[in-house]
Amino acid sequence: MEPFTRKRFLKRSIVLASALFLLGGEWNLFAKGINEEKISDPPDGLKPVSENDPTAQALGFHQDAKNTDFNLYPERKQPQAKNQVCLQCAQFTKLNEGWGKCSILTNGVVATKGWCSAFSKKM
Ligand code: SF4
């Protein structure tokens, strides 16, 4: 058996570090793909509320709560705010798995994973 020299140790360390780096990168891409589920198309004949709608803008609305401006709404970063999405809001009426109607933003439909500052938890 070959002695475990410093040269051999360094060579193996570099190979191992490279493998972990590459594996880590792949894993991140995989995890990102899972977490970034795309929002489905809205039900036929209905259009999503535009995030540029003046009322939507005033309420900091986004069809995906992850896009919230956390500088304007730092409370959204709190762990207890994690489940604050349209699906859990008292103003929301579900139409299908991805969409529903909001009684405040009435110019279209909102995604179940949306959020605005008028959120109030369903009882
Ligand atoms: S009021 Fe509720 S349902 Fe309407 S956009 Fe805001 S969080 Fe979503």
Side-chain angles (χ1 to χ4, degrees):
M1 192 168 138
E2 232 178 289
F4 204 72
T5 62
R6 187 189 310 178
K7 185 178 172 185
R8 203 165 161 210
F9 171 76
L10 283 173
K11 214 167 150 183
R12 285 193 176 180
S13 298
I14 290 169
V15 169
L16 181 64
S18 303
L20 288 173
F21 176 77
L22 291 173
L23 199 61
E26 289 299 316
W27 176 254
N28 283 340
L29 284 176
F30 177 70
K32 200 174 175 187
I34 288 174
N35 291 331
E36 289 189 1
E37 254 178 60
K38 283 187 84 180
I39 297 173
S40 63
D41 289 333
D44 284 345
L46 296 173
K47 64 179 178 67
V49 168
S50 168
E51 293 178 2
N52 295 322
D53 174 278
T55 308
Q57 276 188 333
L59 293 172
F61 173 74
H62 285 280
Q63 293 287 5
D64 187 338
K66 283 189 219 149
N67 297 329
T68 299
D69 183 341
F70 295 107
N71 291 322
L72 280 176
Y73 304 102
E75 68 278 8
R76 285 286 300 146
K77 280 187 182 171
Q78 302 299 315
Q80 61 269 26
K82 188 179 154 203
N83 293 325
Q84 289 184 5
V85 289
C86 293
L87 182 62
Q88 305 297 331
C89 180
Q91 309 302 327
F92 185 79
T93 306
K94 188 176 176 180
L95 293 173
N96 69 14
E97 283 312 304
W99 297 90
K101 290 190 171 193
C102 169
S103 60
I104 294 176
L105 299 177
T106 55
N107 201 10
V109 290
V110 295
T112 53
K113 59 200 281 187
W115 179 85
C116 84
S117 59
F119 174 88
S120 60
K121 190 168 170 36
K122 248 182 208 161
M123 291 294 147

